[in-house]
Amino acid sequence: MGMASTENIGTQVTLFPVDPLPTSKQETNFIENNKVLKNEHQFTYVNINGLNNQGVKQLERIKMTFESDLLDEIKYILNLLIVLSNNNPSKIDLKNEYSFLIDYLLKYLESSSIELDIKIDCLLIIRNLIQNVDNCQVLSGNKKLREIILNFLNIYDNSIEYLNFFENDQYKELIKYSLDTIENISSYLSPISADDLIFNKLIHIFKVNNDKNNSITILRSISRYLYGTSSNNTFENNNNSNNNNKNNTNTDASVLIDDEFLNKTLGFLLLLSNNNSIDNKILL
């Protein structure tokens, strides 16, 4: 039912139906009634937002948002980047025009005054971007990123002592993205030495972890970290893994693969092979 106009005739109200003009007709009327445009409407008008012009380019809009440091605007752009990085991470080239993104994302991840939701968004963007080989190469060499991830993994370690702490789904999500990021960059960091802090943390978390998906991700990361290490070194140094070799930067990380880790790994793999339908929580 269309809109209606009213006409007062004494005390009687009469309703007249009104049919709105289509947009194309309104535009035509506008041009015909405009003294300037009525003789030039055959031309295409450009550089007017909404008329064949999208306004500021997306790259510039993202840059200006981060430079503005306005939290609401930053949240909006982070949501946009999550979608873009998920759909096509290669379009966000960290080697070239989007290289400025790294500093801003790490800035928010590192800041203690930034709320957890924003940190999760930043880490999710990084996790998505490293699915692209070129972006992964760039981020794998970033020392600050590894330090931030290690700090997040320490949160996981604390949650073992305070079980209620890890009931928070936000921290679970943060850890998941941290582990996913490590899994991708680990291939570019191998082989590593036994004093690598992240590798040591992965070994420790795997031993105390009871989450199936996290265990799978950690095993993948460890296998990639160990690529290129000496197989002989594993057997020669396994008995000495409790000595000072852990502090020797010349000792490769294979010495950290002790009996406890191997038994946990074997039990986990047997459980997976015997029951493919196990849920995310496992108990070994």
Side-chain angles (χ1 to χ4, degrees):
M1 181 176 179
M3 297 177 60
S5 64
T6 64
E7 179 179 323
N8 294 325
I9 304 176
T11 59
Q12 182 181 2
V13 177
T14 304
L15 299 177
F16 297 96
V18 176
D19 294 325
L21 290 175
T23 304
S24 58
K25 182 64 175 176
Q26 294 180 34
E27 292 177 351
T28 302
N29 291 341
F30 171 77
I31 293 176
E32 289 177 351
N33 296 322
N34 187 292
K35 294 181 180 180
V36 176
L37 297 180
K38 65 180 180 180
N39 296 321
E40 301 180 3
H41 62 273
Q42 68 272 22
F43 298 103
T44 301
Y45 294 90
V46 296
N47 296 328
I48 301 176
N49 291 347
L51 295 176
N52 303 317
N53 181 44
Q54 64 177 353
V56 180
K57 291 184 178 180
Q58 179 175 273
L59 178 61
E60 292 301 318
R61 186 181 297 113
I62 293 174
K63 281 184 178 180
M64 289 189 295
T65 298
F66 284 121
E67 290 174 1
S68 72
D69 210 24
L70 298 174
L71 196 57
D72 288 339
E73 295 294 327
I74 290 172
K75 288 181 179 180
Y76 173 82
I77 286 297
L78 289 178
N79 288 330
L80 172 64
L81 288 171
I82 288 174
V83 176
L84 295 176
S85 63
N86 179 65
N87 293 341
N88 196 344
S90 62
K91 292 294 184 181
I92 303 180
D93 188 357
L94 298 181
K95 284 187 175 181
N96 297 301
E97 64 268 19
Y98 280 92
S99 59
F100 68 93
L101 263 184
I102 301 176
D103 291 336
Y104 284 111
L105 293 177
L106 296 184
K107 169 188 173 183
Y108 301 134
L109 284 171
E110 197 174 28
S111 175
S112 58
S113 61
I114 294 295
E115 57 192 72
L116 192 56
D117 283 339
I118 295 181
K119 292 178 182 288
I120 291 174
D121 288 345
C122 291
L123 197 55
L124 176 57
I125 293 169
I126 291 176
R127 180 255 188 198
N128 291 341
L129 289 177
I130 60 176
Q131 306 307 313
N132 173 262
V133 174
D134 291 334
N135 291 336
C136 191
Q137 289 177 342
V138 173
L139 290 171
S140 63
N142 193 295
K143 183 178 179 181
K144 180 180 289 187
L145 174 61
R146 298 199 298 272
E147 291 175 350
I148 292 172
I149 290 177
L150 180 62
N151 185 53
F152 290 153
L153 294 182
N154 287 333
I155 294 177
Y156 183 98
D157 197 24
N158 292 337
S159 69
I160 302 303
E161 300 175 10
Y162 308 98
L163 296 179
N164 60 335
F165 178 81
F166 201 54
E167 290 298 320
N168 190 324
D169 288 337
Q170 287 183 310
Y171 287 106
K172 291 181 181 179
E173 193 173 3
L174 196 66
I175 292 164
K176 172 176 171 51
Y177 297 150
S178 297
L179 293 175
D180 287 345
T181 302
I182 292 175
E183 180 184 352
N184 282 273
I185 68 175
S186 56
S187 298
Y188 296 92
L189 302 175
S190 64
I192 58 170
S193 60
D195 66 342
D196 184 87
L197 296 179
I198 291 183
F199 187 85
N200 278 268
K201 184 62 66 176
L202 291 178
I203 294 289
H204 171 69
I205 292 176
F206 182 76
K207 291 178 180 179
V208 299
N209 172 66
N210 69 338
D211 183 272
K212 180 186 72 173
N213 293 327
N214 285 347
S215 295
I216 293 174
T217 303
I218 291 173
L219 286 177
R220 286 174 178 167
S221 301
I222 289 175
S223 65
R224 294 178 182 183
Y225 267 128
L226 292 177
Y227 183 81
T229 58
S230 172
S231 58
N232 294 329
N233 198 37
T234 302
F235 295 102
E236 292 174 0
N237 294 291
N238 193 40
N239 293 330
N240 298 323
S241 61
N242 294 325
N243 297 330
N244 293 328
N245 287 339
K246 291 183 179 180
N247 297 322
N248 187 354
T249 57
N250 295 321
T251 304
D252 71 46
S254 60
V255 300
L256 300 177
I257 309 300
D258 55 14
D259 290 340
E260 182 183 358
F261 177 85
L262 292 175
N263 289 335
K264 180 72 180 287
T265 303
L266 180 60
F268 175 70
L269 295 176
L270 287 174
L271 185 60
L272 284 180
S273 62
N274 291 332
N275 188 356
N276 293 325
S277 63
I278 63 174
D279 57 20
N280 290 337
K281 291 298 180 69
I282 59 174
L283 185 62
L284 296 178

